[in-house]
Amino acid sequence: MIGKLHAVAIAFTLSMTGFAANAAETAAAPNTAICSTPNYPTAWIKDGLEGTVHLALLVEADGSVKERKVVSSSGHRELDKATLRAGANCKFGAAPKGSDSKPGWTTVQYQWVVN
C-alpha cells in the first residue's frame, strides 16, 4: 500500500492564457499562483481514477479566488470536485496597490495520475 501511495502524481499547471467571462470582466490574467495539492484517497488509487481537470478561476485584485468552475472534466465526479476544492485555495499575486484592478479570469489544470 505504501508503495502505491508514493507512485501517485498530481500535477498542477497554471495556464497564463487568461480570458474574460464577459465584456465587463477584462482584467489581465494573474501571473503567479500557489495552489494546494488535493488529497488523493487510497480508494481512488485502488480504483485507478485518473484524468485531467481544467478549471477557470476568477481572481480578485488581492489574489484570492472569487469564483471557480470546471471547464473540462476528468470524467470522474470525485476528481472534479476535489479539483474545485483545491482551486478555491489557490493564491495569486496581488495587483499593485493603488491600481484600478478588476477581477480577472485565468485557467489552471490538474492532472491526476496513478503510476
Side-chain angles (χ1 to χ4, degrees):
M1 180 77 73
I2 297 295
K4 263 195 165 182
L5 289 177
H6 290 291
V8 173
I10 301 174
F12 160 76
T13 307
L14 172 64
S15 172
M16 297 314 299
T17 59
F19 61 94
N22 61 49
E25 296 169 348
T26 57
N31 59 8
T32 60
I34 298 172
C35 294
S36 64
T37 302
N39 185 28
Y40 207 157
T42 305
W44 297 357
I45 296 167
K46 287 180 182 178
D47 292 343
L49 293 186
E50 295 184 327
T52 301
V53 182
H54 292 89
L55 293 182
L57 303 175
L58 181 58
V59 181
E60 294 279 7
D62 67 359
S64 64
V65 174
K66 178 179 181 181
E67 189 178 329
R68 63 205 188 283
K69 56 188 169 186
V70 173
V71 175
S72 176
S73 172
S74 66
H76 301 285
R77 173 180 268 170
E78 299 91 337
L79 298 182
D80 294 351
K81 285 184 176 182
T83 304
L84 278 169
R85 285 190 299 273
N89 296 319
C90 289
K91 300 293 182 213
F92 293 82
K97 291 189 186 240
S99 68
D100 189 24
S101 294
K102 294 182 173 54
W105 287 93
T106 193
T107 58
V108 294
Q109 171 182 295
Y110 280 86
Q111 290 182 305
W112 299 79
V113 180
V114 178
N115 295 334

